[in-house]
Amino acid sequence: SSKADQEEQEQAPSPEDAEDIQIAWENLEAARTILEKMEMPKDPAMETKLQLDLAQVMLREGDLQRLNGQYVSSIQDYSSCLALRQRYLKDKWHRSIADTQFNLGLSYLSSSSDLQKETAAAGGTPNAAALAKEHCEKGIAKHVECAKTFCGMLAKLCGADPDTLLESVDNWEESPA
């Protein structure tokens, strides 16, 4: 038994884990369906709460998809979650937004890694190689967005204006060395 075989066995979920994951998935999918079909309340605060609850369900579905190596599906779930959070959270410097940006970036990078392995093993197709590069770039971009969101959060905690601080950081990055 090689080290690679041993690592693969450790990563493969046990039958009990697979059953738990399936149950979790079914519950999340049921919650998502219910929340999506609910009539939106006229009260904006209740609408916001329902939409943020839906975003949380999408985040957890994305987590399960990523756990199962279904990166394209996790990217879709995280993207939907991020869009809702950016729309309904009053503060763009929110930990929930940074969390979603991070997980979305991680899914893109994991997808890129899988595509690179697939390309190397199969002799490489131009489309898979191009998609791997695109997902790598998107993953890095999402992690940069996450870092900027955290910087904005820290700026607020220190009493600084996040937009001004991040504008100066952007200008510093663009200036020649």
Side-chain angles (χ1 to χ4, degrees):
S1 166
S2 73
K3 185 175 180 175
D5 291 337
Q6 185 180 4
E7 287 176 6
E8 190 173 310
Q9 286 177 343
E10 289 173 4
Q11 290 178 351
S14 69
E16 296 85 22
D17 288 344
E19 185 177 334
D20 289 347
I21 290 169
Q22 181 63 32
I23 291 168
W25 174 255
E26 289 170 4
N27 285 317
L28 286 169
E29 195 56 33
R32 181 181 190 153
T33 301
I34 290 167
L35 287 168
E36 287 177 336
K37 290 185 178 187
M38 286 182 73
E39 187 174 317
M40 279 302 122
K42 295 185 182 0
D43 177 17
M46 282 303 298
E47 178 185 352
T48 296
K49 182 186 178 332
L50 284 176
Q51 292 299 317
L52 291 175
D53 286 348
L54 178 58
Q56 184 66 21
V57 169
M58 290 173 171
L59 178 77
R60 295 300 164 228
E61 284 184 324
D63 292 344
L64 279 175
Q65 295 285 19
R66 194 182 74 226
L67 178 69
N68 287 322
Q70 302 297 318
Y71 302 117
V72 172
S73 294
S74 72
I75 288 167
Q76 292 168 346
D77 288 331
Y78 288 137
S79 294
S80 296
C81 172
L82 183 59
L84 286 173
R85 285 181 168 178
Q86 287 174 327
R87 179 175 177 193
Y88 286 96
L89 288 171
K90 292 179 177 86
D91 185 4
K92 70 179 180 178
W93 311 113
H94 198 283
R95 184 183 178 280
S96 293
I97 291 173
D99 179 44
T100 309
Q101 291 165 328
F102 178 83
N103 283 303
L104 183 53
L106 187 59
S107 289
Y108 272 120
L109 291 173
S110 298
S111 172
S112 175
S113 177
D114 273 8
L115 287 165
Q116 288 173 17
K117 289 176 190 171
E118 182 182 303
T119 300
T125 63
N127 289 343
L131 188 58
K133 182 177 190 272
E134 177 186 330
H135 280 199
C136 182
E137 290 168 354
K138 286 182 176 182
I140 291 168
K142 288 299 172 191
H143 280 153
V144 169
E145 287 177 23
C146 174
K148 286 182 177 183
T149 301
F150 274 125
C151 285
M153 290 167 50
L154 290 172
K156 282 180 54 179
L157 287 171
C158 295
D161 176 46
D163 291 313
T164 304
L165 176 70
L166 287 168
E167 185 178 301
S168 65
V169 169
D170 286 340
N171 290 338
W172 176 71
E173 288 175 351
E174 294 169 4
S175 63

